[in-house]
Amino acid sequence: MANAWKRENSKQPKLLSPILLILSLCLLLLLFLFFFSARSPSNPPNSTLFVSPLYPIPSFNCLESPQAHPVVANIVENLKYPFLYSLSDFGSLPDKPHKNIVRLLKGKPFRKPDISATIQQLLEGMKGRNGLVVDVGANVGMASFAAAVMGFKVLAFEPVIDNLKRICDGIWFNRVADLVTVFEAAVSDRIGNITFYKLVGRLDNSAVSATGAKLAFKSNEEIAVQVRTIPLDELIPNSEPVLLLKIDVQGWEYHVLKGAVKLLSRKKDAAPYLIYEEDERLLQASNSSAKEIRDFLHGVGYSHCVQHGTDAHCTKV
């Protein structure tokens, strides 16, 4: 028994092989990195998007914006590149809800906005090209998100805070914070401030002109607010390529275009495809006209314009 004890006691402990030792160290290092990365605070994804040094005015910070409520959002039907957006107007609840709320309750997607389909059809032919999509009068983002879900970078301009909150909803729902930069401003032909009329219950018809805001909805209450104005030429540098410019500002289109002379005067290959609302009644309510706009556009080289409903599509040919 004594000899047996000596034999067992004389055995030396085996050392770990070099390969096993390296694997063990790697495992410990991974556990260490995982532990500290999980504990360290991280910035929200793309949070630097909201404070851009490239622009003369700060972009709208969705991370600091009050949350819109209630939120009624859904996916859009019949688009090659679907997206979600959040309603800003609910209709007259409970008697006459918005049509998309009725569709939602029936288990249907939101109706496809015409501008969303138009934007995607146009951008389908621009894939692979570098440049911005500029959305002036973004409302709740139906044009902006149509472009962003295709991978295009978007500058969106919207002066109504109620709509801006809904754009922030859509940025989160569609995971496009790295593609959409939003500005709380009305685009015009000069820097400053202007009185803007919000139309309660029909925020998509809010306008610089009080007459234009109530043209189709005379019974809705209007609220006058002061908003910041900026020309596109002050914000978009000459070196920044722009593929498409969409303008829907309830009759203020001429002032937007005048503030974008440099952008629109670019050579044919660099000039953006232009879509703007050309509603004569709204234009006259803002002391301009379709003829005045067409003459201006012809002067900067946009010689080919085609009417699509109340929208004009213009290019340099």
Side-chain angles (χ1 to χ4, degrees), residues 169-181:
D169 290 343
I171 286 174
W172 168 249
F173 293 149
N174 295 294
R175 308 296 194 266
V176 290
D178 56 335
L179 293 172
V180 180
T181 303

Side-chain angles (χ1 to χ4, degrees), residues 28-43:
L28 286 172
L29 181 60
L30 287 172
L31 289 172
F32 177 85
L33 292 173
F34 176 80
F35 177 77
F36 279 97
S37 64
R39 288 174 58 88
S40 61
S42 59
N43 292 326

Side-chain angles (χ1 to χ4, degrees), residues 7-257:
R7 284 197 302 271
E8 289 179 4
N9 199 41
S10 64
K11 288 181 181 179
Q12 297 295 324
K14 290 184 179 180
L15 296 176
L16 292 173
S17 68
I19 295 176
L20 188 58
L21 182 61
I22 292 171
L23 290 174
S24 301
L25 289 173
C26 289
L27 180 60
L28 286 172
L29 181 60
L30 287 172
L31 289 172
F32 177 85
L33 292 173
F34 176 80
F35 177 77
F36 279 97
S37 64
R39 288 174 58 88
S40 61
S42 59
N43 292 326
N46 306 306
S47 59
T48 54
L49 171 71
F50 302 107
V51 184
S52 174
L54 298 176
Y55 303 113
I57 61 172
S59 51
F60 188 72
N61 193 332
C62 285
L63 299 176
E64 295 180 359
S65 168
Q67 174 61 52
H69 61 84
V71 175
V72 179
N74 200 0
I75 199 164
V76 175
E77 67 176 357
N78 298 331
L79 286 177
K80 183 176 181 180
Y81 305 92
F83 63 88
L84 294 93
Y85 76 90
S86 177
L87 282 181
S88 187
D89 293 324
F90 299 149
S92 300
L93 298 175
D95 300 325
K96 292 183 179 179
H98 191 284
K99 290 179 181 179
N100 275 328
I101 293 180
V102 176
R103 291 176 65 88
L104 180 64
L105 294 174
K106 291 180 178 179
K108 296 180 179 180
F110 283 173
R111 189 177 297 280
K112 174 182 63 181
D114 290 340
I115 189 61
S116 305
T118 298
I119 292 291
Q120 290 195 352
Q121 288 167 7
L122 289 170
L123 292 178
E124 188 73 33
M126 300 183 190
K127 278 187 169 182
R129 291 177 57 186
N130 179 41
L132 296 171
V133 173
V134 179
D135 185 3
V136 178
N139 194 250
V140 296
M142 291 174 283
S144 293
F145 299 139
V149 295
M150 294 179 69
F152 290 91
K153 289 191 175 183
V154 179
L155 297 185
F157 298 84
E158 175 56 46
V160 180
I161 185 64
D162 312 72
N163 289 338
L164 286 163
K165 292 177 186 178
R166 304 299 174 176
I167 291 175
C168 290
D169 290 343
I171 286 174
W172 168 249
F173 293 149
N174 295 294
R175 308 296 194 266
V176 290
D178 56 335
L179 293 172
V180 180
T181 303
V182 190
F183 295 96
E184 185 180 8
V187 177
S188 190
D189 52 355
R190 64 191 66 185
I191 297 174
N193 293 283
I194 199 168
T195 302
F196 192 86
Y197 296 90
K198 289 199 312 181
L199 200 62
V200 178
R202 287 295 313 202
L203 292 174
D204 54 330
N205 274 68
S206 300
V208 172
S209 162
T211 304
K214 299 194 73 171
L215 203 58
F217 300 93
K218 293 182 171 60
S219 62
N220 292 60
E221 178 190 0
E222 64 183 57
I223 300 174
V225 294
Q226 286 289 307
V227 299
R228 181 206 303 262
T229 60
I230 188 165
L232 289 178
D233 282 343
E234 292 291 333
L235 191 130
I236 301 174
N238 292 330
S239 58
E240 187 79 68
V242 177
L243 299 174
L244 189 150
L245 170 58
K246 167 257 172 186
I247 308 170
D248 183 353
V249 287
Q250 299 301 110
W252 202 247
E253 282 76 9
Y254 182 50
H255 300 274
V256 175
L257 293 167

